Amino acid sequence: MIIVLAVVLLSGCVTSPPRQIHNVCDIFDEKDGWYEDAKDAQEKWGVSIPVIMAFMYQESRFQPKAKPPRSRILWIFPGPRLSSAYGFSQAKDDTWDWYKSEAGSWGADRDDFGDAADFVGWYNNMSHRRCNIALNDTYHLYLAYHEGQGGFNRRTFRNKGWLKKVAKKVSSRAAVYQRQLAGCQKRLESDGWWFF
């Protein structure tokens, strides 16, 4: 009985991804608190909610514990993971530590949606300042997110056609999310008010 109770309690702490990840209104309707978290990141860093959500769609499909695939040893045995990327935003260990230090977010966790949204906003704000990328230029922000700001400034993406295609998809996703959000944002804003 105690074991069953422990399993039930622990499973309640695990965040599952949203069922409908292609519609930002459906995501925010299903996931209580996510709209407020994304809005807080937007207000803090100047990066729009649709851009933040499009990045997380691309990086993890909103899987809180997402990790890159493992390499293969002799094409059969699982080897080490290709990078230390983890969580909603797929931030690497060193980048996450840099974020916690610079943004003062010492208790932040990569598998917490609010922390990940804040990270995506912070990183894109850093790309804006260090690479002179407009905060609404999703295409170039994603290239800097993938290559790092130093890599972006060195144009390491120049010969990576596959990466440019991904950046275009992220930009398109942000535009779709923007149109969708325009249809539900007023309702999402009013959902936060309770009158007695």
Side-chain angles (χ1 to χ4, degrees):
M1 180 66 173
I2 293 174
I3 293 172
V4 173
L5 183 61
V7 169
V8 169
L9 289 174
L10 288 174
S11 65
C13 298
V14 176
T15 302
S16 61
R19 288 185 295 273
Q20 299 293 331
I21 62 174
H22 303 291
N23 188 307
V24 77
C25 297
D26 290 344
I27 293 171
F28 290 143
D29 284 339
E30 180 183 345
K31 295 296 183 181
D32 189 43
W34 281 23
Y35 174 73
E36 290 79 13
D37 289 337
K39 184 181 173 189
D40 288 347
Q42 174 182 269
E43 290 173 355
K44 187 174 180 182
W45 303 111
V47 178
S48 76
I49 291 171
V51 170
I52 290 169
M53 297 299 283
F55 272 58
M56 286 204 264
Y57 175 98
Q58 179 60 41
E59 292 301 296
S60 67
R61 300 299 193 270
F62 303 103
Q63 297 275 348
K65 298 189 180 296
K67 295 178 183 177
R70 290 187 177 277
S71 60
R72 292 285 174 187
I73 300 170
L74 299 176
W75 302 279
I76 300 170
F77 305 105
R81 295 199 184 274
L82 301 174
S83 84
S84 64
Y86 177 72
F88 286 106
S89 63
Q90 288 296 282
K92 295 179 181 176
D93 291 347
D94 291 345
T95 311
W96 191 258
D97 289 342
W98 178 40
Y99 157 70
K100 290 197 296 185
S101 173
E102 289 288 317
S105 300
W106 293 108
D109 294 312
R110 288 179 282 181
D111 55 9
D112 179 273
F113 178 83
D115 293 340
D118 192 70
F119 170 82
V120 172
W122 169 82
Y123 196 90
N124 284 323
N125 186 280
M126 292 291 287
S127 295
H128 166 67
R129 291 189 283 138
R130 299 175 102 192
C131 306
N132 201 30
I133 304 170
L135 289 173
N136 62 354
D137 183 352
T138 310
Y139 176 80
H140 288 101
L141 286 173
Y142 187 77
L143 292 175
Y145 193 85
H146 189 277
E147 298 294 279
Q149 287 131 7
F152 179 87
N153 287 335
R154 292 191 308 274
R155 299 299 189 255
T156 56
F157 58 85
R158 186 177 291 122
N159 296 320
K160 296 180 180 177
W162 62 270
L163 177 58
K164 293 176 185 177
K165 285 180 184 176
V166 172
K168 283 181 184 176
K169 283 177 21 180
V170 175
S171 184
S172 294
R173 171 79 47 199
V176 168
Y177 279 172
Q178 180 64 56
R179 287 192 298 274
Q180 292 168 344
L181 188 61
C184 68
Q185 191 162 21
K186 189 173 181 181
R187 176 179 54 76
L188 290 168
E189 289 288 335
S190 66
D191 284 351
W193 294 94
W194 293 92
F195 295 98
F196 297 98

